[in-house]
């Protein structure tokens, strides 16, 4: 790990600053929107625009990189994000905010592609897994840190918006001044949606519903907080607990994933999350209950993306893993676009607590489908399955392919160790 930090500290620091700015954006807009009088349906459109832009950026950015290179693309997209963050406060109009959210989503998708290309280029076969872990941890810490910063300014003013812009702007310095030229950008052509569904119906369906869950968490959690009448410090703690829950749960879920039928784990995690979330809604609506629910849904949903990737890989040859992962990202993005719309409509029609009922329903659907799939075919032998590699739903195609490479390398290492043990035993 020390080698990874020595080689990639500037990139990791820059990504930390970027994620603080992005995490601050989501929470601050949710609070500021309520102050500006935007209703829940309006905020759902604004929040969904980010995921539309993000999905588009993941498809278009590779073409831009091939035309003008990593450095120019990174600088251009980062400058647009910095400008949009300032304009949020200057133009408090829902249509303008939706356009800027779309732009920011597009740009962040591209920034992830470039940063993760450099991360992969700086890693070796021996350090790639550690680099991936450090990067994911830095992303989560950035979002959590952003929630603390919300309390250091007035959401009705300009200071926090300026702080977001400054954080993004200064993040360029350590990255652009330290990275070496990245290799020519290449990604694998995704396999067809029909082929992906035939290969892993649970991976396909589960990833779609997970996209809806994740966008509700990332985009609508602050909106829920304002509708529930929480104070700004309470909203910041509530959002932070979602990501802290995910950070803590990554390792134990990953450990279990490599040692049991993944469908049983997917069922157990999602069914447990659905029951606990629904049960919490039956209790008095105290902040302690809300905090517990935030930890539960974060612990369930954040590792689930990596779990779906690993499960899908169980039915693929190594050469097809990257192609399937690219299409799973698209499916996840489609789910992420519709999530805020449904949550916004439900909260407007049935009250703020519909936010948690929506998440419980999505988790329940994944659990039900996982239970059904267990009746359709036998589980693969645990010794022949792929290895779990942690990656967030916000990852670019580059990082997903890095995760696939890590999983393949870990599986090959485990196979070599097993063969060595057999020879020694003989």
């Amino acid at each position: 790990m020390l080698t990874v930090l020595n080689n990639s500290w500037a990139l990791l620091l820059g990504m930390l600053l970027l994620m603080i700015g992005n995490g601050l954006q989501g929470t601050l807009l949710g609070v500021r929107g309520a102050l500006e009088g935007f209703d829940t349906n309006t905020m759902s459109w604004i929040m969904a625009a980010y995921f539309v832009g993000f999905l588009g950026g993941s498809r278009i950015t590779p073409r831009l990189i091939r035309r003008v290179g990593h450095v120019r693309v990174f600088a251009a997209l980062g400058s647009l994000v910095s400008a949009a963050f300032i304009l949020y406060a200057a133009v408090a109009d829902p249509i303008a905010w939706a356009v800027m959210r779309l732009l920011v989503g597009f740009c962040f998708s591209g920034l992830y592609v470039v940063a993760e290309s450099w991360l992969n280029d700086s890693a070796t076969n021996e350090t790639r897994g550690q680099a991936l872990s450090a990067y994911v941890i830095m992303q989560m810490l950035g979002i959590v840190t952003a929630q603390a910063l919300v309390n250091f300014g007035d959401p009705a003013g300009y200071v926090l918006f300026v702080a977001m812009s400054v954080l993004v702007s200064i993040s360029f310095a350590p990255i652009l001044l330290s990275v070496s030229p990245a290799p020519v950008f290449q990604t694998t052509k995704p396999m067809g949606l029909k082929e992906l569904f035939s290969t892993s119906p649970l991976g396909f369906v589960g990833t779609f519903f997970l996209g809806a869950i994740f966008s509700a968490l990332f985009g609508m959690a602050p909106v829920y907080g304002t509708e529930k009448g929480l104070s700004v410090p309470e909203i910041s703690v509530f959002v932070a607990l979602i990501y802290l829950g995910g950070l803590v749960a990554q390792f134990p879920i990953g450990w279990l994933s490599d040692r049991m039928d993944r469908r049983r784990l997917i069922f157990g995690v999602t069914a447990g999350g659905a029951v606990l979330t629904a049960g919490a809604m039956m209790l008095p609506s105290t902040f302690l209950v809300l905090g517990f629910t935030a930890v539960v849904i974060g612990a369930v949903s954040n590792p689930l993306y990596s779990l779906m990737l690993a499960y899908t890989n169980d039915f693929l040859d190594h050469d097809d893993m990257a192609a399937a992962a690219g299409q799973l990202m698209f499916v996840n993005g489609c789910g992420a676009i519709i999530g805020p719309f449904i949550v916004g409509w439900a909260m407007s029609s049935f009250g703020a607590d519909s936010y948690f009922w929506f998440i419980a329903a999505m988790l329940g659907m994944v659990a039900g489908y996982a239970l059904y799939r267990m009746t359709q075919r036998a589980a693969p032998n645990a010794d022949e399955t792929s290895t779990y590699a942690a990656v967030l739903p916000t990852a670019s195609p580059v990082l997903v392919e890095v995760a696939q490479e890590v999983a393949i390398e870990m599986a090959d290492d485990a196979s070599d160790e097993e063969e060595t043990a057999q020879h020694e035993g003989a």
Side-chain angles (χ1 to χ4, degrees):
M1 182 62 76
L2 291 177
T3 302
V4 170
L5 294 176
N6 183 58
N7 293 339
S8 305
W9 69 267
L11 178 61
L12 295 173
L13 174 61
M15 183 51 60
L16 175 67
L17 296 174
L18 275 174
M19 293 309 296
I20 293 174
N22 200 16
L24 186 57
Q25 173 207 198
T27 303
L28 184 55
L29 287 186
V31 175
R32 181 62 176 266
L35 295 176
E36 296 290 345
F38 300 161
D39 60 30
T40 305
N41 271 326
T42 300
M43 289 303 301
S44 71
W45 281 84
I46 292 171
M47 295 305 183
Y50 177 91
F51 300 99
V52 176
F54 195 92
L55 187 60
S58 66
R59 300 285 172 142
I60 297 175
T61 301
R63 303 175 192 172
L64 297 177
I65 292 175
R66 293 187 186 100
R67 291 184 61 184
V68 300
H70 289 72
V71 173
R72 290 180 179 178
V73 169
F74 190 88
L77 297 181
S79 298
L80 290 173
V81 170
S82 183
F85 282 176
I86 289 288
L87 290 175
Y88 279 133
V91 187
D93 176 79
I95 296 177
W97 276 20
V99 171
M100 285 185 283
R101 279 279 290 181
L102 188 145
L103 175 64
V104 168
F106 178 92
C107 291
F108 261 100
S109 177
L111 291 172
Y112 292 152
V113 168
V114 178
E116 290 159 10
S117 296
W118 277 320
L119 179 73
N120 188 37
D121 188 45
S122 65
T124 63
N125 290 339
E126 291 74 23
T127 63
R128 186 167 283 110
Q130 295 176 352
L132 176 64
S133 298
Y135 182 82
V136 171
I137 291 172
M138 205 61 65
Q139 284 187 306
M140 300 285 277
L141 289 178
I143 296 176
V144 171
T145 302
Q147 309 316 309
L149 294 183
V150 175
N151 300 287
F152 287 88
D154 181 6
Y158 287 85
V159 173
L160 290 175
F161 291 93
V162 172
M164 290 193 305
S165 178
V166 170
L167 284 167
V168 171
S169 296
I170 63 176
S171 71
F172 306 158
I175 294 177
L176 294 179
L177 293 177
S178 64
V179 296
S180 57
V184 176
F185 181 83
Q186 293 181 341
T187 55
T188 306
K189 183 179 179 181
M191 67 171 55
L193 289 173
K194 184 177 180 180
E195 182 182 357
L196 176 63
F197 181 79
S198 298
T199 301
S200 178
L202 177 56
F204 187 103
V205 173
T207 301
F208 177 81
F209 284 123
L210 177 60
I213 295 169
F214 184 78
S215 63
L217 297 179
F218 188 73
M220 296 297 287
V223 178
Y224 164 79
T226 60
E227 288 292 310
K228 198 67 177 174
L230 302 182
S231 65
V232 173
E234 287 174 333
I235 292 173
S236 65
V237 171
F238 172 70
V239 176
L241 287 174
I242 293 174
Y243 292 97
L244 286 173
L247 187 61
V248 171
Q250 282 283 357
F251 175 78
I253 288 180
W255 187 86
L256 288 171
S257 169
D258 292 338
R259 288 163 176 81
M260 62 182 294
D261 181 351
R262 287 191 168 116
R263 295 172 304 180
R264 294 181 181 273
L265 181 58
I266 292 170
F267 170 75
V269 167
T270 53
V275 170
L276 288 173
T277 301
M281 292 299 95
M282 305 294 186
L283 300 175
S285 187
T286 64
F287 186 70
L288 181 62
V289 171
L290 293 180
F292 168 79
T293 311
V295 172
V296 168
I297 59 178
V300 168
S301 59
N302 279 295
L304 198 55
Y305 185 68
S306 301
L307 188 53
M308 290 296 179
L309 280 174
Y311 174 73
T312 302
N313 288 343
D314 291 343
F315 303 95
L316 295 168
D317 294 330
H318 287 176
D319 293 342
D320 296 325
M321 288 182 179
Q327 204 66 303
L328 279 176
M329 286 186 61
F330 176 78
V331 172
N332 183 263
C334 292
I337 291 171
I338 69 168
F341 293 130
I342 300 175
V343 171
W345 168 80
M347 289 173 64
S348 296
S349 302
F350 307 107
D353 285 340
S354 299
Y355 175 78
F356 284 120
W357 287 114
F358 167 80
I359 293 172
M362 294 294 103
L363 291 172
M365 288 181 183
V366 177
Y369 195 68
L371 188 62
Y372 164 74
R373 289 303 308 170
M374 282 190 276
T375 68
Q376 300 303 300
R377 64 179 172 186
N381 191 312
D383 296 333
E384 300 174 355
T385 58
S386 65
T387 304
Y388 178 100
V391 62
L392 297 179
T394 55
S396 77
V398 175
L399 196 68
V400 173
E401 291 194 17
V402 171
Q404 305 296 68
E405 292 174 13
V406 170
I408 292 170
E409 290 167 3
M410 292 174 68
D412 290 342
D413 290 342
S415 178
D416 291 342
E417 290 176 2
E418 184 178 349
E419 290 180 4
T420 301
Q422 289 176 349
H423 287 312
E424 291 176 351

